[in-house]
Amino acid sequence: MAIDISKIKTSREVEKTLQTLSPFEIKNELIHLAEESALKSTAITLNAGRGNPNWIATVPREAFFLFGQFALEECRNVMEEQGILAGIVQNKNGVASRFETFLAKHKDTPAASLLEKTYHYGVDKHDFDGDAWIREWIEAVIGFNYPVPDRMLSQIEVIVHDYLVQEMCGTGNDKGKYDIFAVEGGTAAMCYIFDSLMQNHLTERGDKIALLTPTFTPYIEIPELDRYKFDVVYVQASGVGENGFHTWQYPNSELDKLKDPAVKVAFVVNPSNPPSSAMSTETLNYIADIVKNDNPELMVITDDVYGTFVNNFRSLMAIIPHNTITVYSYSKYFGCTGWRLGTIAVHQDNIFDKKIANLSNAHKKELHERYASLTLQPEKIKFIDRLVADSRQVALNHTAGLSLPQQFQMMLFSAFCLLDTQDVYKTLTQSIIHKRLNLLWEGLEVPILEDPMRAGYYSEIDVMVAAKHFYGDDFANWLKTNFEPVDVLFRLAEKTAIVLLNGGGFAGPEWSIRVSLANLPTDSYLILGKNIRKILLEYVTSWENSKK
């Protein structure tokens, strides 16, 4: 017997009000409903609303803690008082030799192996002075100095640069060098970029920008703030496959919106969030042609946090490096959201510096005064270094920069993958995601097509597309008439203790729902898929009954 689909605690009017909020705010109400449901039944709350992974990379963390022991020994060698106070290591002479002796005592551990290989990677590949290299590690892991250089420690930056080029640019990249600013996760990167674009008159209040959607909600919400009030053009991933389901690719007709020279900036999340699909080679090349032939001053911000979940991933930083600012976060791949590790990468030859050099005299005078406390020639400050200064209101530039222990852990994560020439870690993380994806769709009882562009970190399920595909337009119209797009989320929370997010809040299809494949035990995704199917079939039963 079908459950009366009209009977849930949350009214349609309440749903209509709540769906105006950010998906991450709606989530709090859904969690409350799911927890109530779990208390009244044998179900457990399954919250697939967050992207925080439930795995961690262990060896780089073990290396961090092991090297910390050596660094403390070195500090105690400088000075030790009563067993509770030590000195700071200034002299680097002989430290590499002592480090090798220390490693010999731990030679059978994965941590020591990573430290040894990372040390030799710097010395052999980049001609680092061994003592200076280990001295930088000690300074970083202990954190006894301010970050100097403030943008990023110089040798650590080289390793992180290699990692980003390897993972974001693919093989055979010869596009030159990128400057990197180590920041407090992708969150800080977004805030700093929006701010510095405005501070340096690269964007002005009310400018036309493009958002490639669906996208991470802050990229939708920040442009609406009073400081920006950007005129937003939405470039939609509206491509569909032969079966009528989304491919989450961008048709050329949508990308053509970027040809308008009035569009100052394009904000991209690639692979996308929530569809979790990477741009095809054809899309990347089409955007490159637009920049070359139609809008050469287009500035592109590409957020590529999920790129490591796609084999042979290519970022726009490799395709149009001179026009691109790249945001990357280590949080998802390495399971380190609490570490707050992110980077901003800007090519050393870039349009941002050129546009600043071509500003009006009035704007140049204003910016000269803004950065005058930093150098006698403030007009020569590169845009990426302006990002650093702006991140600390300029006046605190001398204490800017990501904390050194964070930079050290970032470097170890980077080296771990650079040295993993067989991609063992990448294969493992991808296999976890893909197994969960397959279980979810098995529970839905819908075949899932193979797609080399699919990262699979999230899955976006468009209820309306499925309604039309399986039951036709009459059923789809009945759904629209009788329910709000978020209704399925509230039914899942109240009846099955499952928490998901609404895809419409990411500027995706209004009736879509986002499932995170990262944060629940793998077996949960079969249960999750079956419960989503159960709720969706309740709509079908109610519709069929309404026709009798």
Side-chain angles (χ1 to χ4, degrees):
M1 181 177 177
I3 298 170
D4 184 350
I5 200 164
S6 65
K7 291 182 179 179
I8 62 169
K9 180 178 179 180
T10 310
S11 70
R12 186 172 184 181
E13 288 305 311
V14 170
E15 289 179 355
K16 191 177 294 186
T17 301
L18 289 174
Q19 69 186 357
T20 63
L21 300 175
S22 161
F24 297 100
E25 300 306 321
I26 297 176
K27 170 182 58 66
N28 296 331
E29 179 64 22
L30 295 172
I31 290 172
H32 174 69
L33 293 170
E35 288 174 345
E36 281 189 351
S37 174
L39 286 173
K40 297 173 185 176
S41 68
T42 58
I44 59 171
T45 301
L46 295 176
N47 182 357
R50 290 300 297 272
N52 194 97
N54 62 351
W55 66 78
I56 63 168
T58 56
V59 175
R61 286 173 165 90
E62 291 169 345
F64 180 93
F65 294 120
L66 179 61
F67 186 79
Q69 296 174 38
F70 171 74
L72 281 171
E73 286 181 13
E74 289 294 302
C75 291
R76 290 190 174 106
N77 288 340
V78 174
M79 176 179 69
E80 184 172 18
E81 296 290 343
Q82 301 179 38
I84 57 173
L85 182 147
I88 64 173
V89 178
Q90 299 285 16
N91 187 352
K92 65 179 188 293
N93 293 337
V95 68
S97 177
R98 294 191 295 276
F99 170 65
E100 290 179 345
T101 301
F102 173 83
L103 284 182
K105 300 175 185 176
H106 304 273
K107 61 182 179 180
D108 295 328
T109 66
S113 176
L114 177 58
L115 291 172
E116 181 180 27
K117 290 177 181 177
T118 303
Y119 167 72
H120 285 291
Y121 181 92
V123 172
D124 299 338
K125 183 177 177 63
H126 292 292
D127 295 323
F128 291 167
D129 176 83
D131 285 336
W133 185 208
I134 298 302
R135 166 61 178 74
E136 185 172 275
W137 290 15
I138 294 170
E139 180 181 357
V141 75
I142 298 296
F144 53 65
N145 277 336
Y146 290 108
V148 178
D150 44 23
R151 182 160 55 78
M152 196 169 191
L153 291 185
S154 56
Q155 294 171 113
I156 283 178
E157 180 181 357
V158 172
I159 308 303
V160 172
H161 179 280
D162 285 358
Y163 169 73
L164 291 178
V165 169
Q166 172 180 289
E167 299 296 338
M168 300 292 107
C169 300
T171 57
N173 181 69
D174 57 354
K175 301 292 185 180
K177 295 292 184 182
Y178 303 83
D179 288 325
I180 300 171
F181 176 19
V183 296
E184 303 88 341
T187 300
M190 292 170 61
C191 294
Y192 296 160
I193 290 168
F194 271 100
D195 181 55
S196 283
L197 288 175
M198 293 290 285
Q199 293 288 1
N200 288 278
H201 298 288
L202 297 177
T203 55
E204 303 286 0
R205 189 175 186 271
D207 273 352
K208 184 178 284 189
I209 68 164
L211 290 181
L212 277 70
T213 60
T215 190
F216 186 38
T217 54
Y219 288 108
I220 302 167
E221 296 165 3
I222 293 173
E224 296 174 350
L225 297 175
D226 186 67
R227 182 184 183 196
Y228 306 102
K229 285 294 179 185
F230 289 143
D231 177 11
V232 179
V233 175
Y234 294 93
V235 178
Q236 298 174 328
S238 54
V240 293
E242 292 179 4
N243 59 0
F245 285 82
H246 297 283
T247 63
W248 303 114
Q249 292 297 324
Y250 299 89
N252 291 350
S253 58
E254 286 292 310
L255 295 171
D256 284 342
K257 296 174 182 178
L258 301 176
K259 291 180 178 180
D260 180 0
V263 175
K264 296 286 188 69
V265 190
F267 291 89
V268 179
V269 176
N270 181 34
S272 51
N273 179 3
S276 215
S277 290
M279 287 180 171
S280 67
T281 299
E282 292 76 18
T283 294
L284 294 172
N285 291 337
Y286 196 80
I287 293 173
D289 286 342
I290 288 173
V291 169
K292 180 180 178 180
N293 300 314
D294 303 288
N295 196 356
E297 293 203 348
L298 179 68
M299 297 175 284
V300 177
I301 316 302
T302 183
D303 186 332
D304 298 341
V305 59
Y306 305 106
T308 46
F309 295 95
V310 175
N311 288 326
N312 305 311
F313 175 73
R314 293 274 281 174
S315 165
L316 283 165
M317 77 180 283
I319 307 300
I320 45 171
H322 308 297
N323 292 68
T324 303
I325 297 173
T326 304
V327 173
Y328 178 74
S329 167
Y330 288 70
S331 299
K332 305 301 194 297
Y333 195 40
F334 298 99
C336 62
T337 53
W339 264 104
R340 312 311 300 133
L341 304 180
T343 58
I344 299 172
V346 181
H347 197 276
Q348 291 181 345
D349 176 16
N350 64 80
I351 195 171
F352 309 96
D353 291 336
K354 292 172 184 175
K355 288 173 75 73
I356 289 171
N358 291 328
L359 290 171
S360 68
N361 289 334
H363 284 157
K364 285 181 179 178
K365 182 175 183 297
E366 174 197 325
L367 293 175
H368 183 99
E369 292 172 357
R370 176 177 179 80
Y371 300 110
S373 63
L374 306 182
T375 174
L376 296 176
Q377 295 180 302
E379 63 278 358
K380 292 186 177 181
I381 299 176
K382 294 191 291 187
F383 176 68
I384 196 163
D385 292 317
R386 294 172 188 237
L387 279 164
V388 178
D390 294 337
S391 75
R392 298 298 184 267
Q393 298 291 297
V394 181
L396 290 165
N397 183 69
H398 63 288
T399 57
L402 185 68
S403 82
L404 299 189
Q406 287 172 283
Q407 292 193 40
F408 185 60
Q409 183 68 88
M410 181 188 294
M411 185 274 291
L412 288 174
F413 284 139
S414 299
F416 177 60
C417 287
L418 286 168
L419 296 164
D420 182 9
T421 56
Q422 301 301 309
D423 282 338
V424 175
Y425 183 78
K426 177 173 287 190
T427 301
L428 181 57
T429 55
Q430 290 182 358
S431 68
I432 291 170
I433 289 295
H434 294 158
K435 184 175 182 180
R436 293 173 180 181
L437 178 71
N438 289 328
L439 284 172
L440 172 69
W441 287 84
E442 180 184 332
L444 289 166
E445 297 185 22
V446 177
I448 184 167
L449 301 177
E450 287 298 318
D451 182 357
M453 295 294 101
R454 183 188 295 122
Y457 198 88
Y458 304 107
S459 190
E460 187 164 12
I461 303 166
D462 192 334
V463 173
M464 193 54 61
V465 166
K468 290 181 180 179
H469 179 79
F470 292 110
Y471 299 101
D473 289 341
D474 286 348
F475 174 55
N477 291 332
W478 178 86
L479 269 181
K480 291 178 184 177
T481 300
N482 291 282
F483 303 96
E484 293 302 309
V486 295
D487 187 76
V488 64
L489 298 179
F490 286 91
R491 292 184 188 279
L492 282 166
E494 289 191 32
K495 294 186 174 186
T496 69
I498 286 171
V499 177
L500 306 177
L501 297 188
N502 57 312
F506 296 81
E510 214 177 15
W511 281 82
S512 63
I513 54 180
R514 185 188 89 155
V515 182
S516 169
L517 297 163
N519 68 328
L520 293 176
T522 297
D523 291 345
S524 299
Y525 287 94
L526 181 62
I527 299 168
L528 201 151
K530 288 181 176 179
N531 278 295
I532 295 173
R533 178 176 172 80
K534 172 189 169 186
I535 294 296
L536 296 181
L537 287 178
E538 287 182 9
Y539 290 111
V540 175
T541 302
S542 185
W543 169 63
E544 289 174 340
N545 288 339
S546 73
K547 297 189 295 181
K548 293 177 181 177

